[in-house]
Amino acid sequence: MPLAAVAVVAAAAGAGPVIATVRGAPALPERTAEQVIADMFRRTAEHARLPLSGTIVKTASLGIPGLPQSADGRHGGQTTSPAELLAGAHQFKIWYGGADRIRIARSEPMSEANLIAKGREGWLWESSADTATRVTLPGAGAPSPATTASPLATAASSLATTGSSLAAAAVTPVQAARHVLELIGGDTHVTVDDGEVVAGRAAYRLVLVPKSPDSLVEEVRLALDGENFIPLRLQVVAKGSAEPAIEFGFSEITFSPPAEENFTFTPPPGVTVKEMELSADTLKELGAERVPGKAPEGRATHIGTGWTTVASLPFNDRDLLAALWPAGADSESEPRRLVASVLNSGTKVSGPWGSGRLISTKLLTVLITDDGRLLVGAVTPKALTEAAGRL
């Protein structure tokens, strides 16, 4: 995929003035966009075990209709569902000592949560629930790292059954940047300058601008560390907005080995400890079906490419509830009420494809058809309903 991404950028450059270089403050050597992208993929692969620690801040302002204020993440941190990351500002600490030593922590005024992976063992501790879950990964004979996720990703996928927002936080700026760069093609205008400073680090700034009028994305800004090309920050700006609808990156970062004590966890006295042991078969299933952003094989269909891709998959509100709150929720719970509120905010629409409800946000348009389909894309409502007739 890295080589393919670079090839796409090079092809776009050869096709015309798609990629330009804009000079900023002379803090870093001048590079073209394709050089910076190639450096990112090459250096992040080389530095797969580059130690670091820092603070990651995620901010979302998607304008989701019907989203209750209690879900905006600013009310004491009592909700620990991944859905709370849909709005508000959230801060996480991360320690990375290599593929076998990772920790993510989130602290709120009245609670604390930790996701820790060390070797073949993972822990999730949430003080608000007064529980700690220990996950044991298989030993010798287990699938190789080439076919399975890292211990943290595996533990996060498994521990997502608890509904923790830390599972969603396991996606780092590096992973997010890779997903965004997959979208680069001839329909993208790309510029780069060297005048950015993020978390105290001099950085190159890539700006990706979709050319299609059907895209809801105005531009994506990606800051890459000028020394080791690790992605430091990702900003997604919606059309018609001055501020990013999504901002995700480091507010502080240090490239040095974290202390070993950061990866050691002992459950506090009185905490309920749950055990979860994963088999090699379970790992294969997680890798196939629980990678963030990847639907189970055979279920999702797609139309379009790049920024205007529309996905369609079978849908009912129970599926959505299970995706956002894997631990489950009864009919009287806040998750159930939140889902109902968002779904009920949809506008009734119809066309040759049938009828359904349309939900529009700054960056995404969602169509829930009455015949049991969910279509979603970062496209205009008109583009989405037209896609519905072709899927």
Side-chain angles (χ1 to χ4, degrees), residues 322-362:
L324 296 179
W325 287 271
D330 59 48
S331 59
E332 298 302 319
S333 66
E334 181 179 352
R336 177 71 70 179
R337 292 194 298 269
L338 187 150
V339 170
S341 177
V342 173
L343 294 182
N344 290 337
S345 71
T347 301
K348 292 183 178 181
V349 292
S350 62
W353 46 269
S355 59
R357 292 163 290 168
L358 189 71
I359 300 172
S360 298
T361 74
K362 293 179 181 178

Side-chain angles (χ1 to χ4, degrees), residues 22-69:
V22 180
R23 291 193 177 185
L28 298 170
E30 183 178 335
R31 280 183 169 87
T32 63
E34 60 264 36
Q35 289 173 328
V36 171
I37 294 170
D39 283 337
M40 179 204 132
F41 282 115
R42 183 177 64 253
R43 297 292 292 277
T44 53
E46 293 173 357
H47 294 326
R49 296 181 180 272
L50 180 69
L52 63 86
S53 59
T55 301
I56 294 177
V57 177
K58 294 184 177 183
T59 303
S61 177
L62 299 176
I64 300 175
L67 189 66
Q69 287 298 308

Side-chain angles (χ1 to χ4, degrees), residues 165 187 289 303 329:
S165 63
D187 61 346
E289 297 190 1
I303 188 171

Side-chain angles (χ1 to χ4, degrees), residues 281-292:
D281 290 339
T282 302
L283 281 180
K284 291 180 181 179
E285 181 181 347
L286 289 171
E289 297 190 1
R290 304 199 64 174
V291 174

Side-chain angles (χ1 to χ4, degrees), residues 182-203:
E182 289 179 11
L183 299 173
I184 293 180
D187 61 346
T188 307
H189 182 75
V190 187
T191 60
V192 63
D193 65 62
D194 60 358
E196 192 82 4
V197 177
V198 178
R201 305 278 300 183

Side-chain angles (χ1 to χ4, degrees), residues 1 171 174-183 291-292:
M1 188 273 290
V171 179
V174 174
Q175 294 167 303
R178 284 176 173 269
H179 287 308
V180 168
L181 291 177
E182 289 179 11
L183 299 173
V291 174

Side-chain angles (χ1 to χ4, degrees), residues 52-54 93-97 101-105 114-118 123 256-266:
L52 63 86
S53 59
K93 294 282 189 179
I94 183 170
W95 296 263
Y96 183 76
R101 279 171 171 75
I102 307 171
R103 176 180 178 181
I104 292 179
N114 279 264
L115 176 62
I116 303 169
K118 181 179 179 181
W123 281 96
S256 59
E260 187 64 22
E261 63 190 39
N262 289 303
F263 309 110
T264 301
F265 177 75
T266 301

